[in-house]
């Protein structure tokens, strides 16, 4: 095999131009490409200006123009496909372990299937299917886990046995194959032809594409538009989209952003004709040997395979992060390094023995772009108006079609067509440093094909600078989770516990400790670090008017708190926020850690577009939050303050500024556990002092710590909905059972009000149901398939074990006719269908409800 590897490949044959070799292992090859003039007059204005002519940028131009937007302009600094697109392996798959990213893949493949007929441009699309190979029991479980997350999607996917695997790919060595995940319709496409077809379609619908048009400057205007400078003149655009691939950081730096993207060296090998492949009557499916961490597909009568090296062997082009991409780089490659991928090559030869005798004709080593978590950054960016990103694509070819449609729909309608917050560019912040970026990119590349467990944690680059004042006190006592850069306890250890991270598809080492913590909160008093909450102050002349426009609930009076929801124009739930009016016209807004900048961007955009006179301040990092909950919480806190904490003096959902242990802070009587509790908002430098005082004061009451796993179980028992699960941009508040918080009769014309009236008039077709499950050693977590009489009827949204009632619980969406108490259904978990019943919620009454009922009972004669 290796005797036939040429020491120097003739890359010029791949792109049709001469090559100059520069010394140095990680130094790019550079090509002598004659400079070209623009060829046509640059237009003066654009509705949307897309920067970058790879497959993603061109797809967006195509979709916007096809949707009817006028003045769509795309600027490419050299020529279309330059960067990562031209040398991509071109794999296409319906499969994705996430939820709505499956839709991105689905829309891409459906577009590619008809693009040639639409544009007249061949795209070289092959659809022989694909098989993901399982050769360990854990991998088989992972496939079962993924099947239940796919059954409620339109994607065709099948768990198959070794016999069917061998039938589909007869060249496999079957010694280690236990099962396969077969996806018909998968395959590969020629990236260059795809991009050219999309460009032809974009032009056909009226978009303007300019090559040899680098952007040299970006200047925002006072009215929210952009002046985009090029050597050929300036274009004024209503919005700009950064789709520049591994140049994304440089473009972002023009306006003060440090986008966390980094080029990674990715290699794939192409063989000459393999007689056994040539003899086949039909094209082989793409295989992904997950333990070997490589993909392999047929390339003409030979084979193409590409590995993902372990993190200690993979190579980052980190010099480009420090110094920028070398001028003139576009259609160049890196020097190949077979030694680096030797382990994977040997595993590929063992799995596909015909490779042992194959001749290599090409080794492609090119840059692809990674973000810290491997997911792209898609959508409008917080902190500046009308700046969008479509960057960070490690798999740009399969994402291009769906992302182009997703962004086009969002731009045209003013809201995302479905929830894709995992790809929100605003999930990163100032805490995302270059060392963190490099560490996570190495981890993500090296972990590309590891088993994906529920509640997965990855530890590279942690902790960031974003830790609460309690981190050093708690880090050795608990299992920490990572939330938007923060470290937050998931659960706490006790002597005798099996400690550490033990991922599993069934109940694992955290199950017992979480039950202990739930019991603590229900019977005594617990303390939780809630500092990762996003926290904003909105104040000024128009603050009440702005928030009344943004939120469907009425605004609380001074000293009061409520739960409110921001809706989209179509009436979907964009965010859930806790709002407190601290003083006349001054509001504190609290949101989840994962939606901090996602929500802030929406608020800032409405404030700017509506010319509201307000000041909006993000205080997330400067304010720590302690949650104190349980029947003994009042007794403990009362020891530390002269403020009367009785029911009469400090009512539920009231807020007061108090002195606690000699520290000034804000206290809100609220708890997401549903038990008696307070949230204490304290300056971060004083947080540890307050925490230690509370822990010392609560010794007689049995005080202890609890984490987010226990809080999740307790909130489900109480029937509390969670944003990102029961409600998001895929759901409306009426079907989610949020009617109490939606004030359709309030005078303000809040965003989504008209749509909700229409939804209500039309009637609901599905509704959120509360389910108990008869399970064994496994619990739902959300996004599992719900079955009824052999048919898929819905999906769970979140789930957990209820320690108070000793059974599994889940929320799930069901057709309205099945969402009735007593209805029997089945929930699929790890390949089995477990009996489930729709029950009246909640299983456990909240403390305020229990107190109210007790008072009512006492008042009866």
């Amino acid at each position: 095999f290796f005797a036939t590897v040429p020491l120097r490949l003739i890359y010029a044959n791949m792109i049709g131009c001469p090559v100059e070799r520069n010394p140095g292992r990680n130094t790019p090859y550079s090509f002598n490409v004659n400079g070209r003039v623009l060829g046509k007059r640059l237009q003066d204005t654009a509705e949307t200006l897309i920067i970058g002519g790879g497959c993603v940028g061109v797809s967006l131009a195509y979709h916007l123009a096809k949707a009817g937007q006028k003045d769509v302009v795309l600027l490419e600094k050299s020529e279309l496909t330059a960067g990562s697109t031209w040398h991509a392996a071109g794999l296409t798959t319906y499969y994705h372990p996430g939820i709505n990213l499956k839709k991105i893949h689905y829309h891409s493949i459906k577009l590619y299937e008809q693009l040639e007929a639409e544009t007249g441009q061949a795209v070289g699309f092959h659809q022989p299917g694909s098989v993901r190979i399982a050769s360990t029991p854990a991998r088989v479980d992972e496939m079962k886990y993924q099947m239940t997350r796919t059954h409620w999607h339109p994607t065709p996917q099948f768990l198959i046995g070794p016999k069917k695997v061998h039938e589909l790919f007869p060249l496999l060595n079957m010694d280690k194959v236990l099962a396969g995940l077969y996806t018909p319709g998968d395959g590969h496409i020629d990236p260059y032809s795809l991009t050219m077809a999309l460009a032809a379609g974009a032009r056909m619908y009226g978009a303007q594409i300019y090559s040899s048009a680098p952007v040299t400057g970006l200047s925002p205007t006072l009215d929210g538009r952009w002046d985009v400078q090029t050597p050929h003149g300036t274009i004024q655009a209503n919005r700009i989209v950064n789709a520049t691939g591994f140049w994304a950081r440089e473009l972002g730096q023009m306006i003060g952003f440090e986008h966390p993207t980094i080029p990674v060296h990715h290699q794939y090998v192409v063989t000459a004709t393999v007689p056994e492949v040539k003899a086949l009557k039909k094209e082989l499916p793409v295989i992904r040997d997950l333990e070997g961490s490589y993909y392999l597909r047929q390339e003409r009568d030979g084979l193409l395979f590409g590995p993902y090296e372990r993190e200690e062997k993979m190579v980052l082009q980190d010099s480009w992060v420090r110094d920028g991409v070398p001028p003139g780089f576009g259609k160049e490659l890196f020097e190949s390094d077979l030694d680096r991928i030797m382990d994977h090559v040997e595993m590929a030869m063992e799995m596909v023995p015909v490779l042992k005798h194959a001749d290599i004709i090409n080794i492609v080593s090119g840059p692809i772009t990674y973000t810290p978590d491997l997911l792209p950054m898609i959508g409008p960016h917080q902190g500046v108006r009308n700046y969008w990103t479509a960057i960070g694509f490690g798999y740009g070819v399969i994402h291009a079609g769906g992302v182009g449609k997703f962004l086009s729909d969002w731009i045209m309608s003013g809201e995302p067509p479905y929830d894709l917050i995992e790809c929100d560019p605003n999930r990163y912040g100032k805490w995302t440093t270059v060392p963190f970026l490099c560490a996570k990119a190495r981890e993500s590349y090296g972990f590309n094909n590891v088993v994906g467990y529920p509640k997965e944690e990855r530890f590279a680059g942690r902790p960031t600078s974003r830790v609460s004042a309690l981190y050093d006190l708690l880090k050795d006592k608990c299992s920490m989770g990572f939330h938007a850069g923060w470290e937050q306890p998931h659960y706490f250890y006790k002597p005798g516990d099996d400690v550490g991270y033990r991922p599993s598809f069934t109940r694992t080492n955290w199950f017992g400790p979480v039950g202990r913590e739930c019991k603590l909160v229900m019977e005594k008093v617990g303390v939780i670090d809630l500092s990762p909450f996003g926290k904003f102050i909105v104040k000024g002349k128009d603050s009440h008017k702005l928030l009344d426009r943004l939120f469907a609930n009425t605004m609380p009076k001074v000293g009061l708190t409520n739960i409110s929801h921001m809706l989209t124009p179509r009436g979907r739930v964009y965010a859930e926020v806790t709002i407190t009016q601290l003083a006349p016209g001054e509001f504190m807004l609290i949101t989840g850690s994962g939606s901090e900048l996602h929500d802030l961007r929406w608020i800032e955009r409405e404030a700017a577009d509506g010319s509201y006179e307000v000041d909006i301040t993000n205080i997330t990092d400067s304010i720590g939050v302690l949650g104190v909950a349980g029947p003994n919480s009042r007794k403990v806190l009362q020891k530390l303050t002269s403020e009367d904490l009785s029911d009469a003096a400090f009512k539920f959902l009231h807020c007061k500024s108090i002195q606690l242990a000699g520290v000034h802070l804000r206290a809100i009587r609220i708890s997401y556990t549903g038990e008696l509790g307070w949230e204490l908002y304290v300056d971060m430098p004083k947080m540890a002092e307050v925490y230690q005082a509370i822990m010392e004061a609560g010794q007689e009451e049995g005080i202890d710590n609890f984490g987010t796993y226990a809080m999740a179980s307790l909130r489900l028992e109480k029937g509390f909905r969670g944003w990102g699960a029961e409600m998001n941009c895929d759901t409306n508040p009426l079907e989610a059972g949020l009617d109490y918080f939606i004030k359709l009769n309030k005078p303000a014309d809040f965003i989504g009000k008209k749509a909700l009236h229409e939804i209500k008039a039309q009637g609901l077709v599905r509704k959120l149901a509360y389910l108990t499950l008869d399970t064994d050693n496994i619990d739902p977590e959300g996004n599992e398939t719900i079955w009824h009489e052999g048919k898929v009827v819905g999906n769970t949204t979140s789930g957990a074990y209820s320690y108070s009632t000793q059974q599994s619980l889940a929320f799930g969406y069901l057709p309205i006719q099945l969402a009735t108490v007593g209805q029997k259904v089945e929930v699929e978990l790890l390949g089995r269908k477990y009996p489930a019943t729709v029950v009246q919620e909640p299983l456990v009454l909240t403390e305020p409800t229990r107190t109210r009922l007790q008072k009512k009972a006492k008042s009866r004669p």
Side-chain angles (χ1 to χ4, degrees):
F1 179 83
F2 290 104
T4 62
V5 176
L7 296 179
R8 181 174 179 183
L9 299 177
I10 305 175
Y11 291 102
N13 290 342
M14 301 171 65
I15 65 168
C17 59
V19 61
E20 294 178 358
R21 181 174 178 179
N22 294 325
R25 177 179 173 185
N26 295 335
T27 304
Y29 287 96
S30 62
F31 292 87
N32 293 323
V33 181
N34 294 327
R36 293 181 295 165
V37 297
L38 197 60
K40 56 183 175 181
R41 182 182 177 278
L42 195 73
Q43 68 182 62
D44 298 324
T45 61
E47 177 65 27
T48 299
L49 190 148
I50 302 155
I51 306 168
C55 58
V56 173
V58 177
S59 172
L60 177 55
Y62 160 85
H63 280 94
L64 282 171
K66 186 175 181 178
Q69 185 172 105
K70 307 300 181 185
D71 290 332
V72 177
V73 173
L74 184 146
L75 300 180
E76 162 55 43
K77 68 182 301 181
S78 56
E79 56 183 299
L80 297 184
T81 75
S84 296
T85 298
W86 74 276
H87 62 74
L91 298 182
T92 57
T93 177
Y94 285 112
Y95 177 88
H96 195 278
I99 299 303
N100 279 349
L101 271 165
K102 297 182 198 299
K103 294 183 181 180
I104 294 289
H105 289 211
Y106 182 87
H107 289 312
S108 289
I109 289 175
K110 293 306 176 187
L111 169 65
Y112 302 165
E113 286 176 342
Q114 56 85 36
L115 190 59
E116 183 173 338
E118 179 183 358
T119 65
Q121 298 278 326
V123 296
F125 194 21
H126 297 244
Q127 294 184 272
S130 78
V131 181
R132 302 173 68 84
I133 303 297
S135 52
T136 67
R139 191 69 72 177
V140 176
D141 280 349
E142 180 190 29
M143 291 181 176
K144 292 177 181 177
Y145 173 71
Q146 288 301 333
M147 284 300 298
T148 188
R149 294 162 65 87
T150 300
H151 276 140
W152 58 281
H153 284 266
T155 303
Q157 186 171 288
F158 305 94
L159 184 60
I160 59 175
K163 182 178 179 181
K164 182 65 175 178
V165 171
H166 193 248
E167 178 185 320
L168 291 167
F169 202 109
L171 303 182
L172 282 181
N173 173 4
M174 300 299 295
D175 290 350
K176 296 182 179 179
V177 176
L178 300 178
L181 201 63
Y182 173 49
T183 313
D186 283 6
H188 54 96
I189 195 167
D190 174 39
Y192 180 88
S193 299
L194 167 65
T195 307
M196 293 306 163
L198 289 167
R203 294 186 183 103
M204 181 172 70
Y205 293 118
Q208 293 293 318
I209 297 177
Y210 298 92
S211 297
S212 299
V215 171
T216 56
L218 295 171
S219 301
T221 63
L222 292 176
D223 59 358
R225 291 185 288 181
W226 290 90
D227 287 333
V228 181
Q229 291 97 39
T230 80
H232 312 286
T234 298
I235 303 177
Q236 187 167 85
N238 287 347
R239 73 184 56 80
I240 57 175
V241 183
N242 182 346
T244 57
F246 52 69
W247 289 278
R249 284 182 68 88
E250 293 179 45
L251 192 80
Q253 285 167 350
M254 290 183 181
I255 54 175
F257 290 121
E258 296 285 343
H259 295 312
T261 61
I262 188 169
V264 173
H265 290 223
H266 180 63
Q267 300 186 92
Y268 62 83
V269 176
V270 184
T271 76
T273 295
V274 176
E276 294 88 343
V277 174
K278 186 175 183 179
L280 295 170
K281 295 182 180 180
K282 63 179 182 178
E283 184 176 354
L284 291 166
V286 179
I287 65 164
R288 291 173 175 84
D289 179 2
L290 303 172
E291 306 312 317
S293 193
Y294 64 85
Y295 56 83
L296 182 147
R297 69 169 176 83
Q298 186 170 335
E299 175 69 8
R300 297 185 175 86
D301 291 330
L303 296 170
L304 178 155
F305 72 97
Y308 293 94
E309 308 97 294
R310 294 190 301 272
E311 59 184 302
E312 68 271 15
K313 287 192 173 185
M314 60 86 68
V315 176
L316 299 174
Q317 194 63 32
D318 50 0
S319 65
W320 290 8
V321 175
R322 295 190 310 268
D323 308 323
V325 181
F329 190 96
K331 286 199 169 179
E332 289 76 30
L333 294 169
F334 300 117
E335 187 171 357
S336 61
D337 183 359
L338 274 172
D339 290 341
R340 204 170 75 231
I341 60 174
M342 180 72 75
D343 294 345
H344 305 278
V345 170
E346 291 175 352
M347 287 186 278
M349 288 190 294
E350 182 182 3
M351 184 64 75
V352 187
V354 296
L355 275 174
K356 296 177 182 178
H357 309 291
D359 294 342
I360 291 179
I361 58 172
N362 270 327
I363 305 173
V364 176
S365 178
I368 60 175
T369 308
Y370 263 44
T371 61
D373 60 9
L374 189 52
L375 295 176
M377 299 169 64
I378 306 168
H381 208 289
Q382 186 270 332
V384 65
R385 296 172 70 185
N386 297 317
Y387 171 67
W388 297 57
T389 62
I391 59 177
F393 292 92
Y395 311 101
V397 171
I398 184 53
H399 285 152
V403 166
K405 177 172 172 50
F406 177 84
L407 284 176
S408 173
D409 289 351
W410 192 345
I411 289 169
M412 296 296 286
S413 70
E415 64 178 282
Y418 47 88
D419 177 67
L420 208 60
I421 194 172
E422 63 266 41
C423 296
D424 191 323
N426 306 297
R427 68 187 185 273
Y428 299 117
K430 294 179 180 178
W431 53 270
T432 316
T433 62
V434 171
F436 174 83
L437 166 63
C438 293
K440 295 306 278 189
R442 283 188 177 280
E443 179 185 58
S444 293
Y445 191 88
F447 282 28
N448 217 295
N449 289 309
V450 299
V451 174
Y453 290 98
K455 295 181 170 62
E456 184 180 57
E457 288 290 324
R458 295 186 178 182
F459 300 97
R462 295 169 52 183
T464 71
S465 59
R466 213 175 200 197
V467 294
S468 83
L470 302 189
Y471 176 73
D472 288 333
L473 293 172
L474 302 180
K475 64 181 180 180
D476 296 327
K477 301 177 181 179
C478 67
S479 175
M480 287 283 185
F482 189 71
H483 303 273
W486 294 91
E487 299 289 330
Q488 186 176 30
H490 278 162
Y491 71 95
F492 286 82
Y493 310 138
K494 293 294 182 185
D497 287 347
D498 178 15
V499 303
Y501 177 58
R502 303 279 189 272
S504 173
F505 292 103
T506 56
R507 294 171 188 165
T508 183
N509 62 331
W510 53 260
F511 185 78
V514 172
R516 183 172 62 218
E517 292 172 18
C518 288
K519 182 179 175 68
L520 168 78
V521 175
M522 293 294 293
E523 298 179 0
K524 297 179 181 178
V525 55
V527 180
I528 185 171
D529 184 359
L530 298 173
S531 298
F533 281 164
K535 318 167 196 78
F536 320 128
I537 297 293
V538 180
K539 61 182 179 180
K541 174 187 172 184
D542 294 333
S543 59
H544 194 288
K545 183 179 177 183
L546 168 65
L547 298 180
D548 230 6
R549 168 68 176 160
L550 283 166
F551 290 94
N553 205 345
T554 54
M555 289 303 100
K557 297 177 180 179
V558 174
L560 298 183
T561 298
N562 71 17
I563 308 297
S564 298
H565 299 85
M566 291 193 290
L567 308 181
T568 70
R570 287 188 302 151
R572 305 301 178 98
V573 185
Y574 190 83
E576 181 178 74
V577 178
T578 302
I579 301 179
T580 303
Q581 189 165 187
L582 304 175
E586 181 178 353
F587 297 85
M588 181 169 69
L589 278 57
I590 307 299
T591 188
S593 59
S595 51
E596 174 198 346
L597 300 182
H598 167 272
D599 296 358
L600 183 59
R601 185 205 65 82
W602 188 268
I603 295 167
E604 289 175 338
R605 185 212 61 180
E606 182 62 26
D609 290 351
S611 300
Y612 292 91
E613 293 185 30
V614 293
D615 292 320
I616 302 170
T617 306
N618 187 352
I619 59 170
T620 300
D621 290 352
S622 62
I623 300 294
V625 186
L626 288 170
V628 184
N632 294 339
S633 58
R634 176 186 286 117
K635 187 176 180 182
V636 172
L637 294 179
Q638 191 67 79
K639 296 178 184 181
L640 300 172
T641 181
S642 59
E643 188 75 34
D644 186 353
L645 302 183
S646 66
D647 269 331
F650 204 143
K651 294 183 173 62
F652 181 57
L653 294 178
H654 280 228
C655 173
K656 293 185 179 184
S657 292
I658 67 172
Q659 290 280 332
L660 191 86
V663 176
H664 178 76
L665 52 80
R666 287 193 176 94
I668 302 176
R669 189 175 157 194
I670 190 173
S671 175
Y672 291 102
T673 67
E675 293 304 302
L676 174 66
W678 280 261
E679 287 178 4
L680 309 176
Y681 291 80
V682 57
D683 290 340
M684 192 67 80
K686 293 286 187 179
M687 184 184 181
E689 179 183 341
V690 173
Y691 167 81
Q692 289 172 318
I694 293 171
M695 298 302 286
E696 185 176 341
Q699 291 304 303
E700 292 182 2
E701 289 73 25
I703 198 168
D704 212 338
N705 298 291
F706 72 102
T708 57
Y709 286 180
M711 186 167 69
S713 173
L714 291 166
R715 73 99 177 163
L716 266 174
E717 291 179 343
K718 308 303 194 305
F720 291 174
R721 280 84 170 136
W723 191 89
E726 285 69 55
M727 54 183 130
N728 55 28
C729 288
D730 295 327
T731 60
N732 69 65
L734 304 182
E735 65 188 4
L738 298 172
D739 311 53
Y740 176 82
F741 306 101
I742 307 301
K743 303 299 190 280
L744 285 171
N745 294 325
K746 81 171 189 175
D749 183 23
F750 62 84
I751 297 170
K753 186 176 186 179
K754 180 181 177 182
L756 283 189
H757 278 295
E758 294 173 355
I759 291 169
K760 191 171 184 179
Q762 293 168 2
L764 300 176
V765 296
R766 67 171 190 167
K767 196 160 181 67
L768 189 68
Y770 196 53
L771 303 166
T772 58
L773 285 76
D774 182 12
T775 64
D776 38 41
N777 191 37
I778 188 171
D779 300 295
E781 63 155 16
N783 297 311
E784 295 98 358
T785 301
I786 303 176
W787 297 79
H788 180 249
E789 297 181 348
K791 295 181 180 180
V792 174
V793 292
N795 64 278
T796 62
T797 55
S798 59
Y801 185 76
S802 165
Y803 295 89
S804 299
T805 65
Q806 299 287 294
Q807 59 190 325
S808 292
L809 296 178
F811 272 122
Y813 278 102
L814 289 172
I816 198 77
Q817 65 272 18
L818 296 180
T820 56
V821 172
Q823 176 67 55
K824 303 291 185 179
V825 292
E826 294 175 305
V827 175
E828 182 183 350
L829 303 174
L830 214 60
R832 284 184 57 189
K833 296 174 183 175
Y834 290 87
T837 305
V838 178
V839 297
Q840 184 68 45
E841 59 176 290
L843 281 181
V844 180
L845 295 176
T846 64
E847 179 274 334
T849 302
R850 297 197 303 266
T851 300
R852 187 171 63 251
L853 291 175
Q854 289 168 3
K855 289 180 178 178
K856 188 175 181 180
K858 288 180 181 179
S859 67
R860 290 173 183 163

